[in-house]
Amino acid sequence: MKTLLNTKLRYILPIALIVIAVGFIAYGVFDKEIYAVLSKATALCRECVGIG
Amino acid sequence: METAVKQKPKKTIMQVRKAVERRRLAIQAAFSIITNSYIVGFIRGTIYKGPLKQICVPGMNCYSCPGALGACPIGSLQAVFNQSDWSKGAWTDANGYTVTKPLYYFSFYVVGFLMLIGALCGRLVCAFLCPFGLIQDLLYKIPLPKKLKIKSFKHDKPFRYLKYVLLVVFVIVLPLFYEANPFFCKYICPSGMLLGGIPLMTYGSVFGNIAAGTGTGITSWAEAGGLTVLKLCILAATIILSIITYRPFCKYVCPLGAIYSFFNRISLYRYSVDESKCTNCGACRHACRMGVDITKTPNSPECIRCGDCKAACPHHAICAGFGKIKTSSAADANTGDAA
Ligand code: SF4
Ligand code: SF4
Ligand code: SF4
């Protein structure tokens, strides 16, 4: 019984996380958070390259 | 009539291990080349500015690398947290996009991306899909006298927690409270210096500042200052240590590895040891360069899922995969231990 529960949990937990993750990504895109990423990634980052 | 059936000679464990490592290096190299294939960037000393840059890549791949097509998740996480202090209202970013809600106290997009990758495969990314992991793997191949190669040291275990401290302090807390300061990128990450700073500044110094495409004018070593020296020192230390010991950045520093490590225990992709086959010979423990004893902790947070232990096991007791794999209950119960 315990093993069966463990086996089920072993799939349920990551799949639940994947569903939540997809929801988060969709919300991030909807909330225009994606533009914050884009604007940082496309303007050469002075801190990354070590100037400043 | 007798037919002579020629049996294929069985591969030795060493041959299997070498084949597994070659295959892994090929996948790492292919993925790194694909995600850094903006050739124009290398030719013109500029970076890619197209829409693909809003998509995160799974590994530590600096978005200031001239070839980078995607965004580094750790840089992106700090970029979003850095906007938590912004005044309310609409604003227009450098690319002309109108952003109407600039206050972000949590990054749903980047956290969702990291959760997705983590729940699917945990630190499998570290072994197969991270360019900075590949660089460290190649550096470790540089031959040195055996006594100069360090497998472990006395305080290895407590040092492994350093990456979690760096994640909390430099990637989350400081960027949340100090606007426009990606602390991890700025003060620690050697990947930006190696993949972005050195190629761009060298290009600018050699060919002059013709990289107008960057729109920043910072493409020359003449701009180098104290921060450049600090980052060059960190990079030099990372390179030297990577020749001496296996993946020091991944073991002790990387916040992305730290995030994925939380998922190793629960991800769909996982390792297990079949206790009925395992003779406790120790071959797997000896083969693991991350210092993990897979028989005790099959999904340890420190396991990068490279497959070396699986290839080294003479009894084929180690399995890995997404599907149903035979589990060893005692070992699985132990998966929480560090290394
Ligand atoms: S620990 Fe970090 S640098 Fe190392 S392979 Fe994983 S993501 Fe890349
Ligand atoms: S190499 Fe295989 S048999 Fe030997 S201890 Fe590891 S899992 Fe067990
Ligand atoms: S336990 Fe095995 S798969 Fe994990 S890091 Fe060590 S050798 Fe690689």
Side-chain angles (χ1 to χ4, degrees):
Chain A
M1 188 66 194
K2 205 178 157 200
T3 329
L4 190 72
L5 203 71
N6 279 347
T7 318
K8 273 194 173 165
L9 254 185
R10 149 153 168 43
Y11 288 102
I12 291 170
L13 203 60
I15 289 170
L17 276 174
I18 289 168
V19 172
I20 296 169
V22 171
F24 273 23
I25 294 171
Y27 180 78
V29 173
F30 168 79
D31 200 28
K32 304 221 167 65
E33 201 191 286
I34 201 162
Y35 294 139
V37 172
L38 184 66
S39 68
K40 181 72 182 170
T42 54
L44 187 63
C45 172
R46 288 177 73 89
E47 291 87 4
C48 286
V49 300
I51 297 179
Chain B
M1 208 169 63
E2 240 178 62
T3 46
V5 183
K6 250 194 176 175
Q7 274 219 322
K8 251 190 177 176
K10 270 198 171 174
K11 280 186 181 168
T12 64
I13 296 279
M14 214 51 214
Q15 284 170 324
V16 174
R17 284 186 63 184
K18 282 200 170 141
V20 165
E21 184 153 15
R22 271 199 301 272
R23 194 191 60 185
R24 185 164 71 85
L25 279 175
I27 295 172
Q28 284 174 295
F31 192 78
S32 300
I33 291 168
I34 291 168
T35 49
N36 291 283
S37 56
Y38 184 62
I39 311 279
V40 179
F42 292 106
I43 297 170
R44 294 192 53 213
T46 182
I47 59 166
Y48 172 68
K49 287 164 168 274
L52 282 178
K53 266 271 172 89
Q54 58 200 321
I55 300 168
C56 290
V57 285
M60 204 76 173
N61 193 151
C62 187
Y63 40 39
S64 294
C65 169
L69 290 176
C72 164
I74 290 298
S76 304
L77 203 56
Q78 291 168 90
V80 178
F81 287 153
N82 268 170
Q83 303 194 356
S84 58
D85 282 347
W86 289 4
S87 56
K88 286 183 178 119
W91 59 283
T92 307
D93 71 9
N95 300 294
Y97 293 103
T98 303
V99 182
T100 50
K101 189 175 170 288
L103 275 172
Y104 300 114
Y105 291 104
F106 182 77
S107 177
F108 284 96
Y109 175 63
V110 187
V111 171
F113 174 82
L114 293 171
M115 267 171 72
L116 179 67
I117 303 289
L120 275 173
C121 59
R123 287 190 84 175
L124 185 71
V125 166
C126 296
F128 288 91
L129 304 179
C130 177
F132 207 65
L134 169 64
I135 290 166
Q136 290 173 86
D137 278 355
L138 295 176
L139 285 168
Y140 191 66
K141 283 191 174 295
I142 295 174
L144 271 188
K146 234 183 179 167
K147 59 181 176 197
L148 288 179
K149 293 263 182 196
I150 302 170
K151 203 170 175 194
S152 186
F153 63 100
K154 206 177 164 198
H155 299 293
D156 172 83
K157 222 169 175 178
F159 263 109
R160 301 271 180 136
Y161 293 104
L162 178 67
K163 57 182 174 289
Y164 300 104
V165 176
L166 295 176
L167 167 68
V168 173
V169 177
F170 283 81
V171 179
I172 300 170
V173 177
L174 289 174
L176 258 177
F177 291 103
Y178 295 93
E179 198 183 337
N181 237 332
F183 282 85
F184 184 80
C185 294
K186 189 169 177 177
Y187 297 109
I188 297 172
C189 186
S191 166
M193 193 67 206
L194 181 68
L195 303 176
I198 292 177
L200 289 174
M201 287 197 279
T202 305
Y203 185 96
S205 301
V206 175
F207 299 106
N209 192 13
I210 55 169
T214 61
T216 60
I218 45 157
T219 47
S220 149
W221 283 100
E223 302 258 354
L227 188 65
T228 321
V229 175
L230 170 76
K231 292 202 73 175
L232 279 174
C233 289
I234 294 176
L235 175 61
T238 309
I239 291 174
I240 293 167
L241 289 173
S242 300
I243 299 171
I244 297 171
T245 187
Y246 188 66
R247 292 200 184 210
F249 183 79
C250 304
K251 281 178 183 161
Y252 310 112
V253 181
C254 184
L256 188 54
I259 294 173
Y260 289 143
S261 77
F262 294 130
F263 293 92
N264 262 10
R265 282 182 69 192
I266 50 167
S267 64
L268 276 179
Y269 184 90
R270 51 199 289 120
Y271 269 74
S272 80
V273 180
D274 186 344
E275 278 183 348
S276 62
K277 289 183 185 168
C278 176
T279 60
N280 245 321
C281 67
C284 53
R285 192 171 56 243
H286 190 72
C288 180
R289 289 173 290 186
M290 291 299 286
V292 176
D293 182 350
I294 195 163
T295 59
K296 290 195 180 119
T297 55
N299 292 289
S300 156
E302 295 300 325
C303 171
I304 56 169
R305 295 164 167 195
C306 61
D308 286 356
C309 53
K310 189 168 173 268
C313 176
H315 307 288
H316 307 288
I318 299 171
C319 331
F322 287 99
K324 224 176 187 177
I325 46 176
K326 210 169 180 185
T327 55
S328 58
S329 45
D332 256 358
N334 256 335
T335 50
D337 303 1

